[in-house]
Amino acid sequence: MSGPVAAFLAHLAVERQGSAHTLAAYRRDLDALTAWAEGRDLLALTREDLRGFIAAEHRRGLSPKSLQRRLSACRSLYRWLLKQGRIAVDPSAGVRAPKALRKLPQVLDVDEAVRLVELPTDGPLGLRDRALLELFYSSGLRVSEVCGLRWANLDFEQGLVSVMGKGSKQRIVPVGSHACHALQDWQRMMAGRAGDFVFPGRAGKQISARAIQLRIKQLAARQGVYKRIYPHLLRHSFASHMLESSGDLRGVQELLGHADIATTQIYTHLDFQHLATVYDAAHPRAKRKP
């Protein structure tokens, strides 16, 4: 690993407290740049060099989305080097990757979401599973936020949960009454048998994201919801249903913890897609000629 890349990754890990997943992704993309440079000093690369790197990766068969990620890592590196005074000009400025087709996330409709979360609470894990699903759909949390959630983060009296999101940014999100009741039922059952984590895994440690993913998939099949169900789908569904009901894009951005409102705007496309489908089905002049 080159000196500039190692220093940049150390900055991400220590000062910006990037997750292991984020650091691994940056390392892969910047290792690809280092390998392409074949020993040349990364501090001396020009804009044309970076265009050549993206073109070479394109010829190798990388998708537009992967190329955009490669270029994003390069931009982050060179902007940091510019700020540190180690380069005079940012060679990534003005370099563009091919546009990727924007794929809208799948969501559950309201009936499907309700059918999924209202599962029976009998059985050894029934109360836990109900609390888990109600919380996901009620508050739109990321799976990592649910994994690390502690009882101290929940305020049942106010109906709020405090979570640590991406970039170690804390936000406070409402928890609906159904989710609060389900969580309190689960808490009473676990009284004296668990540690601080709301959803403990083995030996009282926090549950893994993989364990939650597998469990939600099993519960969806049991409830007769036959879409591909995963934790982030519940977050997408939460955001889409909130926006559809309120029309408050900025509020949904705050609830999701998005740093950039452009990330939240994808849900306006989902909402419009739904309205267009209703229009095509209902309006007498909407039928298109074959």
Side-chain angles (χ1 to χ4, degrees), residues 244 268-283 286:
E244 191 175 318
T268 64
H269 296 290
L270 285 171
D271 196 28
F272 178 78
Q273 191 177 56
H274 167 70
L275 292 174
T277 302
V278 171
Y279 175 85
D280 284 345
H283 197 284

Side-chain angles (χ1 to χ4, degrees), residues 1 3 14-15 31 34 40-41 59 64 80 85 88 112 118 124 138 145 149 162 167 184 191 195 236 251 266 288:
M1 186 184 300
V14 176
E15 296 184 31
D31 280 349
T34 303
R40 284 181 289 170
D41 185 358
R59 288 193 297 272
W80 179 75
E112 288 172 326
E118 290 188 346
S138 168
E145 294 166 348
L149 190 65
S162 172
Q184 287 173 311
H236 288 321
I266 191 170
R288 289 164 174 73

